[in-house]
Amino acid sequence: MTETVSEMAAPAADGVLRRPSLVGRTRAGLGDALAEIGVPEKERRMRVGQLWNWIYHYGVREFDAMTTIGKGLRAQLAERFSLDLPEVTAEQVSTDGTRKWLLRMPSTGPHDRGAEIECVYIPEVDRGTLCVSSQVGCTLTCTFCHTGTQRLVRNLKTEEIVAQLMVARERLGDFPNRKAPDGAFVPNDGGRFVSNIVFMGMGEPLYNFDGVRDAIDVISDDQGLSLGRRRITVSTSGVVPQIGPLGEEMGTMLAISLHAVRDDLRNELVPLNKKYPIKDLLEACRNYPGLSNAKRITFEYVMLKGVNDSDAEARELVRLLKGIPAKINLIPFNPWPGTRYECSDWDRIERFSEIVFRAGYASPVRTPRGRDILAACGQLKSETEKLSARARLMLEQDEAGATPAVAAE
Ligand code: SAH
Ligand code: SF4
């Protein structure tokens, strides 16, 4: 995978030069921006703190609103940088209140129109969960997952990951002293609208380790977006060597996409299993730092009709997880155009869940949300693929030297 980071103003789809945005940057990234416009080093730390507060606590969209910063510096910042968020190119609202946003990321270079990714907001009675993407597409090819069929793949930058939460808070009116835009869902209990984040959108987060780690640092910082690490869940298809470092460096909750209890079947459903088989995966889980009854690993299991949904498999699932503080999440398969799988029948799911329940795991079936707008797990697949022919051509042209902004599988 290749990632091109351009610090210079880059042309957008419409050819207009855009100033780089400060939104989504780490403290170090904001420090670099200040250095670029000549702010002396001894002043930078204080200035970073001010910017941080305005950007992440208040969510301001203009430098002029940063009243603790002098006019001169505000003008200098505005000349060189912006506070732009990715463009929301589509917003869909499901009959159940789930919202899906299609975001166009700013262009990263002359050959990149700006990738499109999807993120989903799921309001529930006691929480609002934002499902974010870590990559454009995914290099892995799980056979039941729509994202896995997308051909263009690149890692999202830290800013692009953080921007998904910023967009959600903006669209939901979830910053102090701000009004929700027309038509936005407003919780009536006074709480933050986005209370939890799951990395269950597009992409394999552990293949974008640094980008995800830095984004989580920004998101969980208590001077800004303040979303605690216990409220952030990283879901992986099983990149075994990165599971320990995830616990040590990010300290978030962990979810494992298990989906099968035998290696032969898991090899087929989650091809990464050929590299990291079930035994190794569960060993890494057993060693996940900080596990306790209050901090359990979620095991996700997609219910595929006639494939992985027998009573014997339910019993084997329970046996395999013995000794690991675990939750089990049964996910009814969400179909997408062209898939060869079907969702298990409801009575089969109930039977499977009963076996799991009797072994001590509570209410494990995940209600599909936003199915009508193709927002449910595994249904995300952005239109970026439509660019593939053009992008491939550019890749060929670029082979001579320039770094491509997008990488094909
Ligand atoms: N790449 C990571 C995170 C994104 S996928 C991972 O695989 O864990 C988030 C969850 O949705 C995973 O458990 C994935 O297996 C599941 N999923 C993918 N396609 C699905 C589908 N069509 N129906 C239901 N769940 C699906
Ligand atoms: Fe990638 Fe996860 Fe989909 Fe597998 S399930 S293809 S790892 S996004």
Side-chain angles (χ1 to χ4, degrees):
M1 258 167 287
T2 317
E3 186 184 332
T4 307
V5 180
S6 167
E7 288 302 321
M8 301 306 293
D14 53 12
V16 178
L17 282 183
R18 296 260 153 84
R19 284 160 292 137
S21 177
L22 295 186
V23 177
R25 291 200 185 193
T26 58
R27 285 179 193 272
L30 292 180
D32 292 346
L34 291 166
E36 242 178 276
I37 56 168
V39 174
E41 201 180 341
K42 59 180 180 347
E43 211 186 286
R44 273 182 229 153
R45 208 182 140 91
M46 183 264 288
R47 296 292 182 203
V48 166
Q50 290 174 323
L51 281 173
W52 192 267
N53 196 38
W54 286 114
I55 295 174
Y56 296 124
H57 181 70
Y58 287 106
V60 300
R61 295 268 72 81
E62 284 154 13
F63 288 105
D64 253 350
M66 300 182 169
T67 48
T68 54
I69 298 177
K71 273 199 175 143
L73 181 54
R74 266 155 37 194
Q76 267 181 292
L77 283 163
E79 200 176 298
R80 177 74 183 84
F81 302 106
S82 79
L83 295 169
D84 290 347
L85 292 172
E87 186 190 347
V88 178
T89 50
E91 176 175 54
Q92 285 176 284
V93 185
S94 160
T95 48
D96 68 16
T98 299
R99 271 166 197 263
K100 181 167 85 169
W101 295 289
L102 183 63
L103 308 181
R104 169 148 22 231
M105 298 302 173
S107 160
T108 54
H111 293 327
D112 179 14
R113 256 188 64 185
E116 283 185 324
I117 54 145
E118 293 183 316
C119 73
V120 177
Y121 175 67
I122 307 150
E124 285 173 280
V125 180
D126 60 340
R127 66 182 62 192
T129 303
L130 187 69
C131 178
V132 297
S133 296
S134 55
Q135 297 183 310
V136 180
C138 185
T139 47
L140 299 173
T141 50
C142 304
T143 44
F144 54 88
C145 173
H146 204 193
T147 309
T149 66
Q150 185 164 323
R151 304 186 59 169
L152 274 184
V153 180
R154 80 161 167 84
N155 279 341
L156 289 176
K157 293 182 281 174
T158 296
E159 297 92 291
E160 294 172 324
I161 297 171
V162 175
Q164 295 172 62
L165 174 57
M166 295 295 287
V167 166
R169 286 211 164 149
E170 174 83 13
R171 301 298 281 200
L172 298 168
D174 198 7
F175 281 111
N177 314 319
R178 300 287 286 284
K179 267 217 217 104
D182 284 348
F185 163 83
V186 180
N188 53 18
D189 64 356
R192 288 316 281 261
F193 306 179
V194 180
S195 60
N196 293 65
I197 289 196
V198 292
F199 282 80
M200 293 185 188
M202 297 162 66
E204 169 49 58
L206 297 189
Y207 275 176
N208 182 11
F209 192 92
D210 293 357
V212 168
R213 179 198 53 215
D214 291 353
I216 287 173
D217 282 349
V218 174
I219 288 168
S220 63
D221 189 296
D222 59 9
Q223 309 285 307
L225 292 163
S226 293
L227 222 136
R229 288 172 195 267
R230 288 286 181 100
R231 291 174 171 271
I232 302 175
T233 302
V234 174
S235 174
T236 178
S237 55
V239 185
V240 166
Q242 300 288 24
I243 289 177
L246 165 69
E248 280 144 28
E249 294 181 42
M250 303 190 213
T252 62
M253 305 301 277
L254 170 65
I256 299 284
S257 298
L258 192 61
H259 308 318
V261 292
R262 298 187 321 271
D263 280 325
D264 60 340
L265 179 60
R266 195 162 189 272
N267 286 346
E268 195 183 309
L269 299 177
V270 184
L272 186 66
N273 193 71
K274 291 181 210 151
K275 202 162 174 193
Y276 307 117
I278 293 174
K279 187 168 160 290
D280 298 358
L281 178 57
L282 295 181
E283 188 57 27
C285 290
R286 280 199 177 83
N287 296 327
Y288 192 70
L291 279 191
S292 69
N293 276 347
K295 191 177 178 187
R296 296 166 189 252
I297 297 178
T298 302
F299 288 88
E300 299 163 277
Y301 196 94
V302 66
M303 299 299 299
L304 302 170
K305 188 176 190 166
V307 175
N308 65 353
D309 59 355
S310 69
D311 287 359
E313 282 159 312
R315 286 192 290 269
E316 180 61 8
L317 176 62
V318 167
R319 197 191 65 78
L320 276 179
L321 300 186
K322 231 185 187 133
I324 305 177
K327 285 188 266 192
I328 295 174
N329 230 307
L330 302 181
I331 316 176
F333 170 64
N334 294 305
W336 36 272
T339 178
R340 64 178 130 123
Y341 296 107
E342 282 177 81
C343 182
S344 307
D345 294 332
W346 194 249
D347 54 355
R348 183 88 299 271
I349 298 181
E350 276 190 337
R351 178 82 192 113
F352 196 102
S353 109
E354 207 178 298
I355 295 173
V356 167
F357 179 75
R358 273 203 250 111
Y361 300 94
S363 57
V365 184
R366 187 189 293 172
T367 325
R369 299 289 304 264
R371 266 190 176 182
D372 54 338
I373 55 167
L374 282 184
C377 291
Q379 290 185 319
L380 304 183
K381 179 181 173 179
S382 74
E383 295 293 301
T384 299
E385 183 171 48
K386 288 193 178 148
L387 296 174
S388 63
R390 187 177 144 267
R392 266 203 302 276
L393 190 73
M394 285 176 173
L395 281 176
E396 282 160 24
Q397 289 168 352
D398 270 335
E399 262 165 21
T403 319
V406 279
E409 262 177 280

